[in-house]
Amino acid sequence: AQSVAQPEDQVNVAEGNPLTVKCTYSVSGNPYLFWYVQYPNRGLQFLLKYITGDNLVKGSYGFEAEFNKSQTSFHLKKPSALVSDSALYFCAVRDITGSARQLTFGSGTQLTVLP
Amino acid sequence: ETGVTQSPTHLIKTRGQQVTLRCSSQSGHNTVSWYQQALGQGPQFIFQYYREEENGRGNFPPRFSGLQFPNYSSELNVNALELDDSALYLCASSAGQGRSSGANVLTFGAGSRLTVL
């Protein structure tokens, strides 16, 4: 079975400050990990993914995420937050070795960047 | 290239009715997945279609069914609607073979918001 936990329902950060949105995962084998963002009345937009290799993954709009196998974490980060980054963020996992077809999503973290 | 389009965007049904939601996949994508996103929750996998056949299913009852057509577009059908079926239904498409496409990125549509009264 595969699962994702996003321990924070809400994260508030001031514009210009660094932001972190936390994600931990559980899979039987090795993971493919993804971050998606959802704006109001929109579908999910892909930000970045970890497949293999470098633990620090860079994605769209200045976001990056760090894969930590020992802590089974894949936290999303950005050095300097923008008000326009305010949205709902989802972490997702798929087990490389499993037969599951689906991405399993976390419950989401609402990020609010305050001006 | 066009993205994933879904219709209708909003609809209201009453308990016991049936609903059909439609999805056109992104150009070049041959795999379609459907997800249910209840209010305040993350998307939950319903099923996936590849080459017009269902090749993966989540924990949803048989009254949730689907189709994929030769042009890779897809339908989600829900029979005997229940109040808990109220949700945003998301369609996502991806490229490559359904079985070994684990690293492929899903491209999502904006969703169909279903309200069951």
Side-chain angles (χ1 to χ4, degrees):
Chain A
Q2 54 191 39
S3 65
V4 173
Q6 292 182 242
E8 301 161 317
D9 293 335
Q10 175 84 38
V11 170
N12 296 326
V13 64
E15 187 175 28
N17 283 2
L19 70 86
T20 299
V21 182
K22 296 180 180 178
C23 169
T24 59
Y25 66 91
S26 175
V27 295
S28 302
N30 292 315
Y32 291 131
L33 291 157
F34 302 80
W35 276 100
Y36 284 83
V37 60
Q38 186 176 34
Y39 296 97
N41 302 315
R42 302 280 295 276
L44 277 68
Q45 297 178 27
F46 169 74
L47 281 178
L48 51 79
K49 67 178 179 181
Y50 171 82
I51 306 300
T52 186
D54 194 349
N55 289 342
L56 184 63
V57 178
K58 294 188 182 297
S60 307
Y61 313 117
F63 284 94
E64 57 189 29
E66 186 169 9
F67 172 66
N68 187 317
K69 187 171 184 178
S70 63
Q71 296 185 5
T72 62
S73 67
F74 190 55
H75 300 331
L76 181 69
K77 300 181 180 183
K78 187 174 183 181
S80 178
L82 300 173
V83 172
S84 58
D85 293 330
S86 298
L88 186 57
Y89 289 80
F90 290 98
C91 180
V93 69
R94 184 188 286 123
D95 189 336
I96 292 175
T97 56
S99 61
R101 302 284 180 265
Q102 72 267 30
L103 275 183
T104 297
F105 286 85
S107 56
T109 298
Q110 180 66 49
L111 172 68
T112 301
V113 181
L114 305 169
Chain B
E1 63 183 13
T2 59
V4 176
T5 57
Q6 293 187 240
S7 62
T9 55
H10 296 82
L11 70 167
I12 300 173
K13 294 285 187 178
T14 57
R15 195 170 52 181
Q17 285 189 312
Q18 178 266 343
V19 68
T20 297
L21 308 178
R22 295 178 174 81
C23 171
S24 294
S25 60
Q26 179 168 306
S27 176
H29 287 184
N30 56 12
T31 301
V32 174
S33 306
W34 286 91
Y35 287 77
Q36 181 195 65
Q37 186 179 12
L39 196 62
Q41 298 183 21
Q44 293 197 344
F45 176 72
I46 303 175
F47 43 56
Q48 176 177 288
Y49 277 82
Y50 171 66
R51 291 185 174 178
E52 303 178 49
E53 291 189 0
E54 182 183 300
N55 74 341
R57 190 177 184 93
N59 189 27
F60 281 81
R63 58 189 186 84
F64 285 78
S65 63
L67 288 172
Q68 186 182 31
F69 300 99
N71 66 353
Y72 308 125
S73 65
S74 178
E75 286 183 355
L76 165 65
N77 299 288
V78 187
N79 294 322
L81 284 167
E82 301 177 359
L83 298 180
D84 286 348
D85 296 334
S86 295
L88 181 67
Y89 288 85
L90 296 166
C91 172
S93 69
S94 58
Q97 295 188 5
R99 182 172 293 276
S100 59
S101 58
N104 286 3
V105 172
L106 299 184
T107 300
F108 284 85
S112 294
R113 184 165 296 282
L114 171 65
T115 302
V116 182
L117 303 176

